[in-house]
Amino acid sequence: MAKNLVIVESPAKAKTIEKYLGKDFVVMSSYGHVRDLAKGNDSIDVENGFAPKYIVSTDKKKVIAELKKMVKTVDEVWLASDEDREGEAISWHLKETLGLDKKGYKRITFNEITESAVLEAIANPRKIDDDLVNAQQARRILDRLVGFELSPVLWRKVKPSLSAGRVQSVAVRLVVEREQEIERFESNSFYRTDALFKVGGSPLKAKLGGQFDDKAKAKDFVEKCTNHNFKVNSIIKKPGKKSPTAPFTTSTLQQEASLKLGFSVSRTMSVAQRLYESGLITYMRTDSVNLSQTAVDAAKAEIESAYGAEYFEHRKFKNKSSSAQEAHEAIRPTNFGIHEIDAERDEARLYQLIWKRSIASQMAEAKLERTSIKIDAPDNKEFSATGEIVLFDGFLKVYLESKIDDDDDEMEGLLPPMNEGDSLDRDSITSTERFTRPPARFVEASLVKKLEELGIGRPSTYAPTISTIQKRGYVERGEREGTERSFNVIALEGSTVSEATNTEKTGSDKGKMVPTDIGRVVTEFLMQHFDQVMDYNFTASVEKEFDDIAKGLVEWSKMISEFYTPFHLKVEDTIENSERASGERLLGVDPKSGKNMYARIGRFGPMVQIGEADDEDKPKFASIQKDQSIQTITVEEALELFKFPKVIGEYEGVPVKINKGRFGPYVQIEKLFVSIKEANGDTLEGMELARAIVLIEEKREEDRNRMIKIFTEDETMQLLNGRYGAYLKIGKKNFKLPKDVEPAELTYEQCIEISKNQPKPRGKKKKK
């Protein structure tokens, strides 16, 4: 029997660590947190110093039972959860739940899962850091208090089932305010003028300094270029250099993986977690850009071996933020000698990105020669052309950072040889109408960058925050392709000046983060009544207080008390004295009834209303479609919504209706719903009774073939044929059938037994 029990957070990590420890050690997993705050209002004793009430999570009771059993059989227990605040809290919860105060324990951490790091941790155990635990506990308690008190306010004043959060609501505010900036933005047109010259048969692209604010001026300039003798005014060559960026922190990894690999924030963190647990990279939740001396030495050896001694240059990077959490390392490979890994595609790509960024950070700067050429033009203007050549590639041999806000679509390259005073052969001059652009909508990577700049949240919070605001329906990924816009082009080719009008797509929000109607209304309500919670500076200052708690400088319950007392009073006042928030917008007047039409948030979501609530006749309501918004819907579009549901006739003495639903158009007869599919040539507007009857009968036949057996003992129990074979359905739940049974012969009692003894779900196998 092993003498030592090591408890880690994940089974993958357990397998890796077990390889490094001898037969005297057994490694088990807690599968993350084992306890959390109890559900309900009694989870935090506000009257007693905000004392939390923790309970073992339902899905962890079996894990705790197995750990307790093992604890009794060993001499020593080692708590080896992650080295950040969350990990420290997991160790504390394990200590409390397993009763390790009496038994004794040793706390160990490692930044990487390698043999040397694990053995060094075993040789240098410590006790749990109560300050780190208190910082995590303060965050959890404060977030629970804010969520538990704000969410019921939203249920009463906006819409049931909504939620609010200390960080998530501020993140939604960022997206909402960016959208409002875009809506307020007035685009102006201007003319950008480009030239293409020939130098000894080689092309030379140049751009006119300045721009024209109207078409007449642009055309006048282009016409003047017809007979102009273009010559080189000046050639200036300057030495230049580029330096590598720091190795990855959590947020920069999320941003770069989004830009280079197209990963979402949550996908990046999931893949990085697997790489860490496999012992391939260091811990992936960090805001440090520091590399240990051991890592620098390993990078140096690999750079000199792979590229040559001249490519190495030691750099020590410093954190911009003074509140960088704990003394972690940046994210780096555990072995710089492994350039790429043979693994599942996502893991291989992310590993290579981390390897390149880490190795490049310790490489020499690139040496360049930048050339700037000025070319004489009419009206004392000048065209300019720039280019650069790489004299020594340095770190560029390995890696070049992407830019989130990089709009420049022109690559600088090598320019053809020429001298000052040389005449240039004009090929073409083109003046193109362009438009000033509004601020860009956030993508996940740029939202992470903004949250980090404002000091909101920490490395461990970015991914769950961005996932939460989308799951809650406050923010969604845009799907609009944009609208067509025309623009003018004035071109000089040979001696002919021509004009043309072209079109382009503008205003696309595809893949960008766009606030929903609910997100806007909730944000405006919270800004009006809870401006402190929604304030960027306040949210950042709370993070600093958590840092101070982690350093032992602030007592956590005092910090929460100072926030909670005025906050709770504000909650009570808002419930009592504030009006409902619906984002109501008057659209116009219904031409049939002469009543006002409104777009607003209702109990079941965004909707359009005809008439007033206190009218003698009840107002009419229609739900807004998924691609519509209460901010932009017009009277004409709203009136279309009231055309449905529409009765198109009777069948078997029962009305047949057509309607628009959340999942598309459909035909309805009593409780039977049949989708109207455009792929079959059917449309909602063109649906006639005869075709609707055909669809109804096809659906009935499909349902008859699907039904194997029903039970008089329970009308919600059915045996059905499905896409993958027969299955059991009870209410809304589906159950697998054993392979060796004949579905039609099963009794009610056998079906109950099958539902109670379902096989455990199998995890997906990883590709090697």
Side-chain angles (χ1 to χ4, degrees):
M1 183 63 69
K3 296 177 183 177
N4 298 273
L5 168 63
V6 180
I7 305 175
V8 296
E9 288 183 31
S10 72
K13 194 189 297 185
K15 287 180 183 176
T16 309
I17 291 170
E18 244 176 0
K19 294 187 297 187
Y20 305 134
L21 299 172
K23 57 181 173 50
D24 289 338
F25 287 82
V26 61
V27 186
M28 294 179 71
S29 169
S30 71
Y31 295 84
H33 274 283
V34 294
R35 291 200 310 180
D36 198 5
L37 291 169
K39 291 183 178 176
N41 295 326
D42 63 343
S43 61
I44 299 164
D45 189 347
V46 174
E47 303 300 325
N48 188 23
F50 302 94
K53 178 185 176 183
Y54 292 109
I55 58 168
V56 174
S57 308
T58 307
D59 60 337
K60 296 298 173 67
K61 287 182 178 177
K62 187 178 177 183
V63 173
I64 288 297
E66 289 172 353
L67 288 172
K68 279 184 175 178
K69 189 176 175 182
M70 183 60 72
V71 165
K72 291 176 183 177
T73 68
V74 299
D75 298 332
E76 204 79 67
V77 179
W78 305 74
L79 300 175
S81 51
D82 293 338
E83 62 175 333
D84 57 7
R85 296 172 193 172
E86 212 70 32
E88 204 72 15
I90 289 172
S91 279
W92 179 76
H93 284 296
L94 284 167
K95 182 197 78 168
E96 296 290 306
T97 310
L98 301 176
L100 298 182
D101 273 326
K102 293 179 182 177
K103 171 90 176 181
Y105 71 91
K106 291 180 177 177
R107 170 80 170 116
I108 56 171
T109 60
F110 25 78
N111 186 44
E112 58 187 61
I113 305 175
T114 58
E115 185 172 6
S116 60
V118 171
L119 294 178
E120 185 179 342
I122 293 285
N124 297 283
R126 61 173 173 83
K127 289 295 179 185
I128 288 171
D129 186 329
D130 290 333
D131 292 329
L132 291 184
V133 174
N134 288 337
Q136 188 275 344
Q137 190 164 244
R139 178 190 292 277
R140 188 77 189 90
I141 290 170
L142 185 63
D143 287 350
R144 171 62 70 90
L145 287 170
V146 170
F148 259 49
E149 299 233 347
L150 276 188
S151 297
V153 177
L154 296 179
W155 303 343
R156 292 192 191 191
K157 301 298 180 179
V158 183
K159 178 180 172 288
S161 303
L162 295 177
S163 72
R166 184 182 59 83
V167 175
Q168 79 172 52
S169 297
V170 175
V172 176
R173 178 189 169 187
L174 279 168
V175 178
V176 168
E177 289 185 340
R178 179 59 59 88
E179 195 69 21
Q180 289 169 341
E181 282 183 67
I182 292 168
E183 289 166 356
R184 288 194 300 267
F185 185 82
E186 292 186 11
S187 184
N188 297 311
S189 70
F190 62 92
Y191 284 78
R192 190 185 74 189
T193 308
D194 300 297
L196 180 63
F197 300 103
K198 286 285 179 66
V199 181
S202 299
L204 172 66
K205 291 181 180 178
K207 188 186 293 185
L208 187 71
Q211 57 202 32
F212 301 106
D213 54 16
D214 63 46
K215 183 180 175 182
K217 291 175 183 175
K219 185 178 180 183
D220 179 60
F221 175 81
V222 171
E223 288 173 342
K224 286 178 180 176
C225 290
T226 307
N227 299 312
H228 188 78
N229 178 28
F230 293 95
K231 66 178 188 299
V232 178
N233 277 350
S234 65
I235 300 175
I236 300 172
K237 293 184 179 182
K238 288 183 180 178
K241 62 183 181 180
K242 282 183 182 174
S243 298
T245 44
F248 283 130
T249 61
T250 302
S251 69
T252 55
L253 176 65
Q254 291 168 352
Q255 292 166 42
E256 196 73 343
S258 173
L259 295 168
K260 275 194 161 69
L261 308 179
F263 285 9
S264 68
V265 169
S266 57
R267 182 178 173 190
T268 298
M269 294 311 293
S270 176
V271 176
Q273 177 101 25
R274 297 201 294 272
L275 292 174
Y276 168 65
E277 290 172 350
S278 302
L280 292 164
I281 64 169
T282 54
Y283 192 52
M284 67 287 158
R285 289 192 181 94
T286 175
D287 45 14
S288 170
V289 291
N290 181 50
L291 291 180
S292 67
Q293 189 56 49
T294 306
V296 172
D297 292 342
K300 178 182 180 184
E302 189 56 36
I303 291 165
E304 291 180 347
S305 167
Y307 309 112
E310 70 275 18
Y311 279 90
F312 173 74
E313 184 178 327
H314 174 46
R315 280 187 183 76
K316 192 168 180 68
F317 295 93
K318 288 186 178 180
N319 284 81
K320 293 177 184 176
S321 169
S322 59
S323 62
Q325 186 182 308
E326 287 91 59
H328 295 168
E329 266 196 271
I331 304 169
R332 63 165 175 83
T334 55
N335 183 349
F336 281 99
I338 301 174
H339 292 214
E340 52 189 55
I341 58 171
D342 181 17
E344 182 254 331
R345 187 167 182 262
D346 277 4
E347 292 173 21
R349 293 171 74 204
L350 192 67
Y351 176 84
Q352 191 167 60
L353 189 66
I354 292 167
W355 182 87
K356 286 180 174 181
R357 176 84 163 223
S358 304
I359 205 90
S361 75
Q362 298 302 309
M363 291 179 73
E365 62 190 19
K367 292 177 182 168
L368 316 166
E369 183 181 78
R370 290 200 173 100
T371 304
S372 177
I373 296 176
K374 300 292 183 185
I375 300 162
D376 175 65
D379 295 338
N380 295 317
K381 295 183 181 295
E382 285 185 322
F383 284 103
S384 62
T386 57
E388 64 182 26
I389 57 172
V390 178
L391 303 175
F392 174 65
D393 54 3
F395 78 96
L396 293 177
K397 198 172 194 74
V398 174
Y399 182 80
L400 180 61
E401 183 188 24
S402 300
K403 300 287 184 188
I404 287 178
D405 304 318
D406 192 2
D407 298 332
D408 194 357
D409 55 1
E410 293 189 18
M411 294 290 290
E412 293 183 333
L414 191 62
L415 298 174
M418 64 194 89
N419 299 304
E420 286 186 13
D422 283 358
S423 290
L424 299 176
D425 293 330
R426 169 183 53 79
D427 193 329
S428 63
I429 306 287
T430 308
S431 195
T432 307
E433 186 180 16
R434 306 312 306 144
F435 301 86
T436 52
R437 289 193 286 185
R441 288 183 177 92
F442 287 110
V443 292
E444 287 193 5
S446 57
L447 185 56
V448 165
K449 185 179 181 184
K450 189 67 177 177
L451 289 168
E452 187 182 35
E453 283 174 4
L454 294 171
I456 296 167
R458 282 293 178 264
S460 60
T461 66
Y462 297 137
T465 296
I466 288 173
S467 296
T468 297
I469 63 177
Q470 292 179 77
K471 283 177 188 171
R472 300 288 189 207
Y474 294 145
V475 171
E476 61 188 12
R477 287 175 180 269
E479 295 179 353
R480 289 177 298 182
E481 295 284 356
T483 54
E484 280 207 342
R485 172 175 68 188
S486 61
F487 64 95
N488 298 313
V489 179
I490 303 162
L492 168 61
E493 291 185 0
S495 58
T496 305
V497 175
S498 62
E499 292 183 40
T501 302
N502 295 340
T503 59
E504 62 185 354
K505 282 279 177 72
T506 182
S508 169
D509 60 17
K510 203 160 190 181
K512 307 288 176 60
M513 304 193 82
V514 182
T516 61
D517 287 334
I518 294 285
R520 282 175 178 261
V521 172
V522 167
T523 298
E524 287 164 14
F525 178 82
L526 292 176
M527 286 291 293
Q528 182 181 350
H529 298 286
F530 297 95
D531 53 338
Q532 182 194 20
V533 174
M534 298 293 284
D535 183 71
Y536 298 134
N537 292 329
F538 168 75
T539 312
S541 70
V542 168
E543 295 294 345
K544 185 178 184 309
E545 289 188 83
F546 291 148
D547 294 336
D548 289 341
I549 293 168
K551 295 170 187 172
L553 302 175
V554 173
E555 206 276 308
W556 71 268
S557 59
K558 183 185 174 189
M559 173 253 179
I560 290 179
S561 177
E562 288 173 355
F563 163 79
Y564 180 74
T565 305
F567 169 70
H568 181 66
L569 291 172
K570 188 72 175 170
V571 167
E572 291 181 329
D573 178 63
T574 305
I575 289 174
E576 290 296 321
N577 301 312
S578 68
E579 298 291 323
R580 280 189 62 85
S582 65
E584 184 174 279
R585 185 169 74 91
L586 177 64
L587 300 181
V589 176
D590 172 28
K592 281 188 179 178
S593 65
K595 293 181 178 180
N596 285 338
M597 295 181 69
Y598 302 95
R600 66 180 181 87
I601 300 295
R603 186 174 179 81
F604 302 105
M607 52 173 270
V608 175
Q609 172 181 324
I610 297 177
E612 310 293 339
D614 54 2
D615 282 352
E616 192 173 327
D617 296 330
K618 284 187 177 179
K620 292 181 180 178
F621 304 102
S623 292
I624 281 177
Q625 297 297 295
K626 191 182 175 186
D627 58 348
Q628 295 174 323
S629 166
I630 63 173
Q631 309 292 328
T632 55
I633 192 168
T634 63
V635 170
E636 292 72 27
E637 290 166 340
L639 288 171
E640 285 292 314
L641 300 174
F642 287 96
K643 288 182 178 179
F644 304 99
K646 179 180 177 184
V647 176
I648 57 172
E650 283 192 3
Y651 181 50
E652 300 172 339
V654 178
V656 176
K657 301 176 185 176
I658 56 173
N659 199 1
K660 283 182 180 180
R662 187 180 170 195
F663 303 106
Y666 61 88
V667 172
Q668 179 186 355
I669 182 168
E670 294 186 307
K671 292 185 179 180
L672 182 71
F673 299 86
V674 189
S675 291
I676 297 173
K677 297 176 181 176
E678 289 187 2
N680 298 335
D682 295 322
T683 63
L684 183 68
E685 292 75 12
M687 183 57 56
E688 295 180 351
L689 180 62
R691 177 58 181 162
I693 292 170
V694 170
L695 294 177
I696 289 166
E697 288 302 332
E698 285 177 353
K699 177 67 174 170
R700 285 174 173 175
E701 181 65 22
E702 184 185 315
D703 288 349
R704 280 193 291 271
N705 293 334
R706 191 165 166 249
M707 183 69 70
I708 299 173
K709 189 174 184 179
I710 56 176
F711 298 86
T712 54
E713 297 93 334
D714 182 354
E715 63 180 18
T716 70
M717 181 185 286
Q718 299 172 326
L719 284 163
L720 302 168
N721 276 315
R723 187 177 173 188
Y724 302 106
Y727 67 97
L728 170 65
K729 183 178 183 183
I730 304 176
K732 293 184 177 180
K733 290 187 177 180
N734 297 335
F735 302 93
K736 287 184 178 179
L737 297 178
K739 290 182 180 178
D740 56 350
V741 301
E742 180 59 47
E745 296 175 5
L746 288 172
T747 65
Y748 173 77
E749 289 76 17
Q750 287 173 319
C751 288
I752 291 292
E753 195 64 27
I754 288 169
S755 70
K756 289 180 179 177
N757 295 283
Q758 286 288 290
K760 289 183 179 178
R762 289 185 299 173
K764 290 182 181 178
K765 288 185 178 179
K766 288 184 183 177
K767 292 181 182 178
K768 294 289 184 185

